[in-house]
Amino acid sequence: MMKKNHLFAGIIVGAIAPIIACLFAEHTVLHERFADKPLTLYMIAGTVNLLLLRYFYKKDASQTAGGVIAITFMGIILLLVFKENITIF
């Protein structure tokens, strides 16, 4: 996938899945399918980021994995701040 080990590269790669989840959740009719569980798409994006973490740590790209962790936690904090009616289960 990537040959370089940079924090900024991890932030960019880690932001792709949450941005796609946000676009699907807010701007498509896909959110109606998950109306009773609005965070489902965001949980899928978090799972994708966990898989990315595993990949980067196996490839000894710890700085890139750190960028993925940073953007994932930032996304979680933004969800908690800006989302009303958070229902996980």
mmCIF file of all heavy atoms in Angstrom, residues 26-49:
data_model
loop_
_atom_site.group_PDB
_atom_site.id
_atom_site.type_symbol
_atom_site.label_atom_id
_atom_site.label_comp_id
_atom_site.label_asym_id
_atom_site.label_seq_id
_atom_site.Cartn_x
_atom_site.Cartn_y
_atom_site.Cartn_z
ATOM 1 N N GLU A 26 -25.101 11.286 6.234
ATOM 2 C CA GLU A 26 -25.752 12.590 6.226
ATOM 3 C C GLU A 26 -26.361 12.981 4.881
ATOM 4 O O GLU A 26 -27.296 13.776 4.842
ATOM 5 C CB GLU A 26 -24.754 13.680 6.649
ATOM 6 C CG GLU A 26 -24.128 13.441 8.005
ATOM 7 C CD GLU A 26 -25.130 13.474 9.143
ATOM 8 O OE1 GLU A 26 -26.133 14.203 9.033
ATOM 9 O OE2 GLU A 26 -24.899 12.760 10.133
ATOM 10 N N HIS A 27 -25.832 12.444 3.776
ATOM 11 C CA HIS A 27 -26.222 12.970 2.468
ATOM 12 C C HIS A 27 -26.788 11.926 1.506
ATOM 13 O O HIS A 27 -26.912 12.208 0.318
ATOM 14 C CB HIS A 27 -25.034 13.667 1.811
ATOM 15 C CG HIS A 27 -24.472 14.778 2.639
ATOM 16 N ND1 HIS A 27 -25.165 15.940 2.880
ATOM 17 C CD2 HIS A 27 -23.314 14.889 3.317
ATOM 18 C CE1 HIS A 27 -24.437 16.724 3.655
ATOM 19 N NE2 HIS A 27 -23.309 16.109 3.939
ATOM 20 N N THR A 28 -27.111 10.740 1.981
ATOM 21 C CA THR A 28 -27.727 9.730 1.120
ATOM 22 C C THR A 28 -28.948 9.150 1.831
ATOM 23 O O THR A 28 -29.192 9.425 2.995
ATOM 24 C CB THR A 28 -26.746 8.581 0.794
ATOM 25 O OG1 THR A 28 -26.436 7.884 1.991
ATOM 26 C CG2 THR A 28 -25.486 9.093 0.132
ATOM 27 N N VAL A 29 -29.669 8.329 1.120
ATOM 28 C CA VAL A 29 -30.828 7.679 1.725
ATOM 29 C C VAL A 29 -30.420 6.426 2.497
ATOM 30 O O VAL A 29 -31.274 5.768 3.084
ATOM 31 C CB VAL A 29 -31.882 7.316 0.655
ATOM 32 C CG1 VAL A 29 -32.460 8.580 0.038
ATOM 33 C CG2 VAL A 29 -31.305 6.404 -0.403
ATOM 34 N N LEU A 30 -29.147 6.109 2.504
ATOM 35 C CA LEU A 30 -28.670 4.943 3.234
ATOM 36 C C LEU A 30 -28.915 5.077 4.733
ATOM 37 O O LEU A 30 -29.117 4.088 5.422
ATOM 38 C CB LEU A 30 -27.183 4.723 2.950
ATOM 39 C CG LEU A 30 -26.543 3.462 3.489
ATOM 40 C CD1 LEU A 30 -27.221 2.237 2.880
ATOM 41 C CD2 LEU A 30 -25.069 3.430 3.182
ATOM 42 N N HIS A 31 -28.911 6.308 5.250
ATOM 43 C CA HIS A 31 -29.146 6.508 6.682
ATOM 44 C C HIS A 31 -30.550 6.084 7.094
ATOM 45 O O HIS A 31 -30.777 5.745 8.246
ATOM 46 C CB HIS A 31 -28.884 7.959 7.086
ATOM 47 C CG HIS A 31 -29.862 8.932 6.511
ATOM 48 N ND1 HIS A 31 -31.103 9.142 7.047
ATOM 49 C CD2 HIS A 31 -29.769 9.754 5.452
ATOM 50 C CE1 HIS A 31 -31.743 10.052 6.342
ATOM 51 N NE2 HIS A 31 -30.956 10.435 5.353
ATOM 52 N N GLU A 32 -31.498 6.081 6.170
ATOM 53 C CA GLU A 32 -32.849 5.638 6.501
ATOM 54 C C GLU A 32 -32.895 4.144 6.803
ATOM 55 O O GLU A 32 -33.719 3.686 7.579
ATOM 56 C CB GLU A 32 -33.805 5.971 5.360
ATOM 57 C CG GLU A 32 -33.994 7.450 5.150
ATOM 58 C CD GLU A 32 -34.768 7.764 3.895
ATOM 59 O OE1 GLU A 32 -35.201 6.829 3.184
ATOM 60 O OE2 GLU A 32 -34.938 8.956 3.619
ATOM 61 N N ARG A 33 -32.010 3.412 6.200
ATOM 62 C CA ARG A 33 -31.947 1.967 6.440
ATOM 63 C C ARG A 33 -31.515 1.672 7.877
ATOM 64 O O ARG A 33 -31.883 0.658 8.455
ATOM 65 C CB ARG A 33 -30.988 1.343 5.439
ATOM 66 C CG ARG A 33 -30.929 -0.134 5.513
ATOM 67 C CD ARG A 33 -30.078 -0.672 4.371
ATOM 68 N NE ARG A 33 -30.385 -2.052 4.192
ATOM 69 C CZ ARG A 33 -31.014 -2.569 3.161
ATOM 70 N NH1 ARG A 33 -31.400 -1.791 2.187
ATOM 71 N NH2 ARG A 33 -31.256 -3.841 3.093
ATOM 72 N N PHE A 34 -30.699 2.565 8.438
ATOM 73 C CA PHE A 34 -30.198 2.401 9.803
ATOM 74 C C PHE A 34 -30.797 3.458 10.728
ATOM 75 O O PHE A 34 -30.129 3.969 11.620
ATOM 76 C CB PHE A 34 -28.672 2.527 9.830
ATOM 77 C CG PHE A 34 -27.966 1.544 8.951
ATOM 78 C CD1 PHE A 34 -27.346 1.964 7.788
ATOM 79 C CD2 PHE A 34 -27.918 0.203 9.278
ATOM 80 C CE1 PHE A 34 -26.685 1.064 6.979
ATOM 81 C CE2 PHE A 34 -27.264 -0.705 8.479
ATOM 82 C CZ PHE A 34 -26.648 -0.277 7.310
ATOM 83 N N ALA A 35 -32.051 3.796 10.548
ATOM 84 C CA ALA A 35 -32.672 4.881 11.304
ATOM 85 C C ALA A 35 -32.701 4.604 12.799
ATOM 86 O O ALA A 35 -32.531 5.522 13.607
ATOM 87 C CB ALA A 35 -34.080 5.134 10.797
ATOM 88 N N ASP A 36 -32.881 3.358 13.202
ATOM 89 C CA ASP A 36 -32.939 3.059 14.628
ATOM 90 C C ASP A 36 -31.547 2.980 15.260
ATOM 91 O O ASP A 36 -31.413 3.071 16.467
ATOM 92 C CB ASP A 36 -33.704 1.767 14.867
ATOM 93 C CG ASP A 36 -33.113 0.583 14.117
ATOM 94 O OD1 ASP A 36 -32.430 0.810 13.110
ATOM 95 O OD2 ASP A 36 -33.356 -0.558 14.546
ATOM 96 N N LYS A 37 -30.504 2.834 14.469
ATOM 97 C CA LYS A 37 -29.120 2.798 14.958
ATOM 98 C C LYS A 37 -28.269 3.746 14.100
ATOM 99 O O LYS A 37 -27.592 3.323 13.169
ATOM 100 C CB LYS A 37 -28.568 1.385 14.870
ATOM 101 C CG LYS A 37 -29.422 0.351 15.536
ATOM 102 C CD LYS A 37 -28.662 -0.273 16.673
ATOM 103 C CE LYS A 37 -29.383 -1.462 17.220
ATOM 104 N NZ LYS A 37 -30.496 -1.206 18.042
ATOM 105 N N PRO A 38 -28.277 5.030 14.396
ATOM 106 C CA PRO A 38 -27.619 6.003 13.519
ATOM 107 C C PRO A 38 -26.089 5.926 13.501
ATOM 108 O O PRO A 38 -25.467 6.445 12.589
ATOM 109 C CB PRO A 38 -28.085 7.348 14.071
ATOM 110 C CG PRO A 38 -28.464 7.073 15.480
ATOM 111 C CD PRO A 38 -28.948 5.666 15.521
ATOM 112 N N LEU A 39 -25.485 5.284 14.468
ATOM 113 C CA LEU A 39 -24.024 5.223 14.498
ATOM 114 C C LEU A 39 -23.450 3.989 13.812
ATOM 115 O O LEU A 39 -22.246 3.776 13.831
ATOM 116 C CB LEU A 39 -23.531 5.268 15.946
ATOM 117 C CG LEU A 39 -23.795 6.565 16.689
ATOM 118 C CD1 LEU A 39 -23.216 6.502 18.082
ATOM 119 C CD2 LEU A 39 -23.209 7.729 15.932
ATOM 120 N N THR A 40 -24.275 3.201 13.161
ATOM 121 C CA THR A 40 -23.814 1.968 12.535
ATOM 122 C C THR A 40 -22.745 2.234 11.485
ATOM 123 O O THR A 40 -21.714 1.558 11.452
ATOM 124 C CB THR A 40 -24.997 1.218 11.898
ATOM 125 O OG1 THR A 40 -25.963 0.963 12.911
ATOM 126 C CG2 THR A 40 -24.553 -0.081 11.279
ATOM 127 N N LEU A 41 -22.961 3.224 10.640
ATOM 128 C CA LEU A 41 -21.975 3.525 9.596
ATOM 129 C C LEU A 41 -20.660 4.004 10.191
ATOM 130 O O LEU A 41 -19.582 3.683 9.677
ATOM 131 C CB LEU A 41 -22.537 4.561 8.626
ATOM 132 C CG LEU A 41 -23.720 4.098 7.790
ATOM 133 C CD1 LEU A 41 -24.318 5.255 7.025
ATOM 134 C CD2 LEU A 41 -23.293 2.991 6.852
ATOM 135 N N TYR A 42 -20.737 4.740 11.282
ATOM 136 C CA TYR A 42 -19.512 5.211 11.929
ATOM 137 C C TYR A 42 -18.768 4.057 12.607
ATOM 138 O O TYR A 42 -17.540 4.047 12.650
ATOM 139 C CB TYR A 42 -19.838 6.306 12.940
ATOM 140 C CG TYR A 42 -20.438 7.528 12.292
ATOM 141 C CD1 TYR A 42 -21.763 7.872 12.507
ATOM 142 C CD2 TYR A 42 -19.681 8.332 11.449
ATOM 143 C CE1 TYR A 42 -22.318 8.978 11.902
ATOM 144 C CE2 TYR A 42 -20.229 9.444 10.841
ATOM 145 C CZ TYR A 42 -21.544 9.762 11.071
ATOM 146 O OH TYR A 42 -22.092 10.863 10.468
ATOM 147 N N MET A 43 -19.511 3.084 13.114
ATOM 148 C CA MET A 43 -18.869 1.909 13.704
ATOM 149 C C MET A 43 -18.163 1.091 12.627
ATOM 150 O O MET A 43 -17.082 0.542 12.861
ATOM 151 C CB MET A 43 -19.893 1.075 14.460
ATOM 152 C CG MET A 43 -20.350 1.738 15.741
ATOM 153 S SD MET A 43 -21.706 0.909 16.600
ATOM 154 C CE MET A 43 -21.173 -0.759 16.695
ATOM 155 N N ILE A 44 -18.745 1.016 11.444
ATOM 156 C CA ILE A 44 -18.092 0.326 10.333
ATOM 157 C C ILE A 44 -16.804 1.054 9.953
ATOM 158 O O ILE A 44 -15.768 0.426 9.704
ATOM 159 C CB ILE A 44 -19.052 0.207 9.130
ATOM 160 C CG1 ILE A 44 -20.202 -0.735 9.476
ATOM 161 C CG2 ILE A 44 -18.318 -0.269 7.884
ATOM 162 C CD1 ILE A 44 -21.327 -0.730 8.470
ATOM 163 N N ALA A 45 -16.838 2.384 9.936
ATOM 164 C CA ALA A 45 -15.633 3.160 9.632
ATOM 165 C C ALA A 45 -14.554 2.934 10.686
ATOM 166 O O ALA A 45 -13.370 2.830 10.363
ATOM 167 C CB ALA A 45 -15.972 4.646 9.538
ATOM 168 N N GLY A 46 -14.955 2.831 11.952
ATOM 169 C CA GLY A 46 -13.980 2.538 13.010
ATOM 170 C C GLY A 46 -13.371 1.162 12.848
ATOM 171 O O GLY A 46 -12.171 0.966 13.087
ATOM 172 N N THR A 47 -14.167 0.199 12.404
ATOM 173 C CA THR A 47 -13.650 -1.147 12.163
ATOM 174 C C THR A 47 -12.645 -1.142 11.018
ATOM 175 O O THR A 47 -11.616 -1.816 11.087
ATOM 176 C CB THR A 47 -14.814 -2.106 11.857
ATOM 177 O OG1 THR A 47 -15.739 -2.061 12.938
ATOM 178 C CG2 THR A 47 -14.325 -3.521 11.644
ATOM 179 N N VAL A 48 -12.927 -0.380 9.975
ATOM 180 C CA VAL A 48 -11.976 -0.253 8.864
ATOM 181 C C VAL A 48 -10.657 0.337 9.369
ATOM 182 O O VAL A 48 -9.571 -0.128 9.005
ATOM 183 C CB VAL A 48 -12.578 0.600 7.730
ATOM 184 C CG1 VAL A 48 -11.527 0.962 6.694
ATOM 185 C CG2 VAL A 48 -13.733 -0.123 7.072
ATOM 186 N N ASN A 49 -10.750 1.336 10.236
ATOM 187 C CA ASN A 49 -9.526 1.932 10.774
ATOM 188 C C ASN A 49 -8.762 0.947 11.666
ATOM 189 O O ASN A 49 -7.536 0.952 11.688
ATOM 190 C CB ASN A 49 -9.837 3.216 11.525
ATOM 191 C CG ASN A 49 -9.984 4.395 10.593
ATOM 192 O OD1 ASN A 49 -9.812 4.269 9.390
ATOM 193 N ND2 ASN A 49 -10.316 5.541 11.137
#
